[in-house]
Amino acid sequence: AQKVTQAQTEISVVEKEDVTLDCVYETRDTTYYLFWYKQPPSGELVFLIRRNSFDEQNEISGRYSWNFQKSTSSFNFTITASQVVDSAVYFCALSEARETSGSRLTFGEGTQLTVNP
Amino acid sequence: DVKVTQSSRYLVKRTGEKVFLECVQDMDHENMFWYRQDPGLGLRLIYFSYDVKMKEKGDIPEGYSVSREKKERFSLILESASTNQTSMYLCASSLWARENQPQHFGDGTRLSIL
């Protein structure tokens, strides 16, 4: 069975601080995909990034960066110089690679990030 | 841009009622999903569908059923609503491909069962 754990339920920072959101996963599959989603107060989940299990390169997109470490089964997300607009619930998710049908996601519990001015 | 539209943002129903939640996507996606979101539990998959008239149970299908008569529409049905089904319900869709594609979500329906 697959499992995703986001141990940090809530994080509160002051604007311009860097913040890292942790994600640890469990799977028996050798091929899988990892995702991060952002859920602002409006409610809609917004896709941020997808990573497949064979690509361990870290990725940077503006103030966002992701650190994928297969050895520790972790896929952590860092926001540099946080802003108030980054306040949201962030979800890490895992999906198996299926040959014949759609990919289903297993989500972590989510981390509520609050960035204070 | 993909648009996933859920029929209601807020819904209040009574125990024992049959409740329909509708979801429509406009990007010809094969896959559609229904989740419920509860504090501290993240999103949990109720049902999903990878083709018209096809459906598969997710992690928590009890008390729910689904219908997919057309590719763009995926309905979640609460056969006899109960108070423990009060929750936020999220619909999503994705393109099927070997490289698992991201799911695109609707705004959610906050359902209260009284």
Side-chain angles (χ1 to χ4, degrees):
Chain A
Q2 300 186 109
K3 188 177 178 184
V4 176
T5 302
Q6 294 179 254
Q8 304 149 310
T9 307
E10 294 181 25
I11 300 176
S12 183
V13 300
V14 177
E15 215 171 10
K16 297 197 175 120
E17 279 186 42
D18 298 348
V19 57
T20 295
L21 282 58
D22 297 333
C23 172
V24 173
Y25 63 90
E26 295 173 30
T27 179
R28 286 178 288 189
D29 294 334
T30 53
T31 303
Y32 51 89
Y33 297 82
L34 294 161
F35 299 79
W36 274 96
Y37 284 85
K38 173 183 180 180
Q39 186 180 40
S42 57
E44 179 184 349
L45 268 78
V46 177
F47 164 71
L48 296 178
I49 190 171
R50 178 192 65 188
R51 226 359 153 222
N52 77 48
S53 51
F54 298 110
D55 182 2
E56 286 192 72
Q57 257 192 326
N58 291 334
E59 179 150 343
I60 298 174
S61 175
R63 295 184 298 107
Y64 295 171
S65 63
W66 291 269
N67 184 314
F68 176 28
Q69 296 211 347
K70 222 165 168 177
S71 59
T72 55
S73 298
S74 65
F75 186 43
N76 296 337
F77 172 31
T78 297
I79 302 174
T80 303
S82 59
Q83 299 176 2
V84 173
V85 293
D86 296 327
S87 296
V89 182
Y90 290 87
F91 289 97
C92 180
L94 168 69
S95 80
E96 57 203 356
R98 297 184 73 171
E99 290 287 323
T100 57
S101 64
S103 55
R104 45 182 294 173
L105 287 171
T106 299
F107 282 85
E109 304 88 344
T111 297
Q112 170 72 60
L113 173 66
T114 302
V115 181
N116 298 299
Chain B
D1 255 5
V2 178
K3 186 67 179 173
V4 178
T5 303
Q6 294 183 229
S7 50
S8 308
R9 258 341 264 281
Y10 300 94
L11 207 52
V12 180
K13 296 290 182 181
R14 297 213 171 270
T15 305
E17 278 192 67
K18 190 168 186 175
V19 180
F20 293 85
L21 302 183
E22 307 286 347
C23 175
V24 176
Q25 50 94 4
D26 65 358
M27 283 302 291
D28 205 35
H29 284 173
E30 291 84 5
N31 304 323
M32 295 190 76
F33 307 83
W34 275 107
Y35 296 89
R36 63 177 281 176
Q37 180 179 3
D38 300 288
L41 297 176
L43 278 74
R44 293 178 291 166
L45 182 65
I46 304 171
Y47 267 98
F48 68 105
S49 168
Y50 52 89
D51 201 352
V52 176
K53 297 193 188 294
M54 305 299 286
K55 62 185 178 186
E56 278 197 34
K57 291 181 181 178
D59 300 317
I60 50 164
E62 297 77 21
Y64 303 95
S65 62
V66 290
S67 171
R68 190 150 181 219
E69 297 296 319
K70 293 185 178 180
K71 193 174 185 180
E72 67 271 18
R73 186 179 296 270
F74 192 35
S75 303
L76 179 69
I77 303 153
L78 286 66
E79 297 290 343
S80 177
S82 63
T83 54
N84 62 13
Q85 292 178 309
T86 291
S87 186
M88 169 75 98
Y89 290 86
L90 289 158
C91 175
S93 73
S94 71
L95 197 61
W96 183 84
R98 287 192 186 280
E99 278 274 315
N100 287 13
Q101 297 300 304
Q103 293 181 18
H104 300 267
F105 285 81
D107 289 342
T109 296
R110 192 165 291 281
L111 174 65
S112 296
I113 306 296
L114 304 178

